[in-house]
Amino acid sequence: DHRDLHSFPTRRSSDLKRNIFLHRGDDIIHVDLVRFELLGDKDLNPYLREDDIIELSYILHDYRIIGGVRRPGNYEWVEGETIGDALKLAGRFTPNADSSKIEVYTFINDTAEIKSILSINGEVLKRAIMPEDMFIVRVKKDYHRRDIVRITGEVKFPGIYRIIPGETLVSDVLA
C-alpha cells in the first residue's frame, strides 16, 4: 500500500540512509547509502528483487566529526564502524589538518564524558566508534599564513603587500 510510504515524517535527505536492512528470503543485507554515495561501494546499494522487504528505523544514535576534515558534520552511527571509517566518510584530512592525532570525546554516562587524544596509527583507525562520540581533528596553527596589508589612497602603487609582523615598517611598503 503506497499510502504507508507517505506517512513517515519529513526528513533531511541525509537521514535514514545508513541503517537500512534488506530482507531477502532468509538473508538480511545491510544497506548504507551514505557509504555508497561517498565511497562508491556498490555492495551497499544492491538491486532489488521481487518480494524483497526494506526495513528502515529511526535514527537512534549519531556521531560528530569536525575540524580538519573535508566533510565535517554529524553522521548516523552504524554498529562496528571505526575511526578510520568515520575519517573516510568525512572526506579524510584537509591539507591544514594535524593528521598526527585526533581528539575523541565519549560519554561514560548520561552527562559525563571522557576526552582522549589519540595518535593516528593503524590500531586507532580500527577503534570502534561509540554512539554520540565526537571527534575533533585540529588544524595546524598558521598553516600557509600570509600576513598582508592593503594600501589605498593617493599613493604611487596602491594594492596588497606582503608583510612580516614585527619586522615590516610602514615606510617599507610606502617606499
Side-chain angles (χ1 to χ4, degrees):
D1 186 344
H2 293 287
R3 290 176 302 189
D4 291 339
L5 295 176
H6 301 290
S7 64
F8 291 101
T10 304
R11 301 207 177 272
R12 296 184 323 240
S13 62
S14 61
D15 290 348
L16 301 175
K17 286 186 160 189
R18 303 221 49 219
N19 286 303
I20 302 170
F21 298 97
L22 176 64
H23 296 266
R24 180 173 288 156
D26 293 333
D27 295 329
I28 299 175
I29 302 165
H30 180 240
V31 177
D32 185 335
L33 297 178
V34 172
R35 285 184 71 85
F36 165 73
E37 291 166 1
L38 295 177
L39 306 177
D41 186 342
K42 294 180 182 180
D43 290 338
L44 295 174
N45 186 20
Y47 288 103
L48 294 173
R49 298 181 190 164
E50 186 174 355
D51 295 327
D52 281 351
I53 299 171
I54 300 170
E55 176 189 348
L56 301 169
S57 63
Y58 289 101
I59 295 173
L60 298 175
H61 301 288
D62 64 0
Y63 62 89
R64 172 179 272 191
I65 184 165
I66 57 176
V69 291
R70 296 180 191 277
R71 286 187 297 270
N74 291 354
Y75 292 85
E76 184 179 356
W77 178 77
V78 174
E79 188 172 356
E81 198 159 57
T82 65
I83 291 175
D85 294 329
L87 287 168
K88 285 179 192 172
L89 287 178
R92 301 187 190 272
F93 299 111
T94 57
N96 66 334
D98 178 357
S99 59
S100 68
K101 61 184 175 271
I102 189 167
E103 293 177 25
V104 180
Y105 296 82
T106 301
F107 281 103
I108 55 174
N109 61 38
D110 289 348
T111 58
E113 64 182 5
I114 56 171
K115 172 185 175 181
S116 305
I117 299 177
L118 306 174
S119 295
I120 299 287
N121 59 43
E123 184 178 326
V124 166
L125 293 175
K126 293 177 186 172
R127 179 178 163 169
I129 293 174
M130 301 303 294
E132 316 313 327
D133 273 357
M134 182 173 72
F135 305 95
I136 300 175
V137 176
R138 296 292 176 188
V139 295
K140 298 172 189 169
K141 183 178 177 4
D142 296 333
Y143 176 81
H144 286 192
R145 178 180 171 162
R146 289 193 177 117
D147 293 301
I148 59 172
V149 295
R150 179 182 309 268
I151 300 175
T152 62
E154 298 286 327
V155 294
K156 188 172 183 179
F157 300 107
I160 296 176
Y161 290 81
R162 170 82 166 86
I163 64 158
I164 300 171
E167 292 183 29
T168 308
L169 301 170
V170 172
S171 59
D172 294 335
V173 294
L174 293 178

